[in-house]
């Protein structure tokens, strides 16, 4: 998995995140006929909330990000991007697992949307997300908090 860490994002991270978003989403957006070089970056800039975003660093270098935005009935997992050369190595799964463990402790439902045909959907399904709804471009998924069995002391 390599030497990675996660840190809170700052306003200064927005351009690096916008650029990574354009790189990561390009193949899926092109396949869907929706890629626009400027729009893909501007949508990130318009919705970037550093207070709810973390930067993933590998070897001290920017490698990705993830946001968990509180909403009325759930938290939205957003802007989860990892540099293509690092995908499939376990970093994304470890980051997601850590965020979901916190949500489970607090009993929080997590929602997300992923592009139709995106390989990321398999990652989300492995972590308990299920289909909620879909449209021609997006698949909306939801994950209920994991229920832990109540503590029962061992018989004496």
């Amino acid at each position: 998995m390599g030497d990675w860490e996660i840190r809170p994002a700052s306003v200064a991270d927005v351009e690096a995140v916008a650029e990574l978003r354009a790189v990561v989403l390009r193949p899926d957006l092109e396949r869907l006929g929706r890629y626009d070089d400027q729009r893909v970056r501007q949508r990130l800039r318009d919705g970037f909330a550093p207070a709810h975003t973390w930067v993933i660093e590998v070897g001290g270098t920017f490698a990705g990000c993830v946001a968990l935005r509180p909403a009325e009935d759930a938290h939205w997992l957003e802007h989860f991007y990892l540099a293509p050369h690092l995908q499939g190595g376990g970093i994304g799964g470890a980051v997601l697992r850590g965020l979901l463990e916190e949500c489970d402790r607090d009993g929080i439902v997590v929602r997300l949307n992923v592009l139709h045909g995106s390989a990321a959907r398999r990652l989300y399904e492995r972590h308990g997300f299920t289909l909620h709804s879909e449209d021609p471009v997006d698949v909306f998924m939801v994950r209920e908090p994991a229920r832990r069995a109540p503590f029962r002391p061992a018989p004496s």
Side-chain angles (χ1 to χ4, degrees):
M1 221 181 331
D3 173 30
W4 67 274
E5 63 183 17
I6 191 167
R7 66 164 172 82
S10 72
V11 174
D13 293 310
V14 70
E15 289 306 316
V17 173
E19 188 58 34
L20 180 60
R21 180 179 199 266
V23 169
V24 170
L25 293 185
R26 185 175 192 144
D28 287 328
L29 288 171
E30 284 181 339
R31 179 179 41 76
L32 294 167
R34 307 281 294 202
Y35 186 78
D36 177 305
D37 195 49
Q38 299 304 314
R39 186 171 188 254
V40 70
R41 290 170 176 84
Q42 194 58 48
R43 285 193 67 188
L44 181 283
R45 292 179 192 117
D46 293 344
F48 189 68
H52 305 296
T53 305
W54 294 269
V55 167
I56 302 161
E57 294 182 340
V58 174
T61 302
F62 175 84
C65 65
V66 63
L68 196 60
R69 178 180 52 85
E72 188 174 313
D73 66 337
H75 280 13
W76 280 87
L77 183 71
E78 300 174 320
H79 309 306
F80 193 10
Y81 312 118
L82 190 62
H85 71 281
L86 297 169
Q87 294 175 9
I91 295 171
V95 168
L96 183 57
R97 193 168 29 261
L99 290 173
L100 294 175
E101 285 172 1
E102 289 183 30
C103 291
D104 288 347
R105 273 195 301 275
D106 296 336
I108 297 171
V109 173
V110 180
R111 298 183 185 279
L112 61 82
N113 68 290
V114 63
L115 293 169
H116 265 286
S118 172
R121 182 175 178 173
R122 290 189 301 277
L123 171 69
Y124 300 134
E125 288 172 338
R126 282 194 307 271
H127 285 86
F129 284 87
T130 59
L131 177 67
H132 178 266
S133 63
E134 55 190 314
D135 64 29
V137 175
D138 292 306
V139 175
F140 295 88
M141 303 182 81
V142 63
R143 181 185 180 275
E144 298 291 330
R147 305 280 184 237
R148 298 191 194 283
F151 173 74
R152 296 196 176 125
S156 337

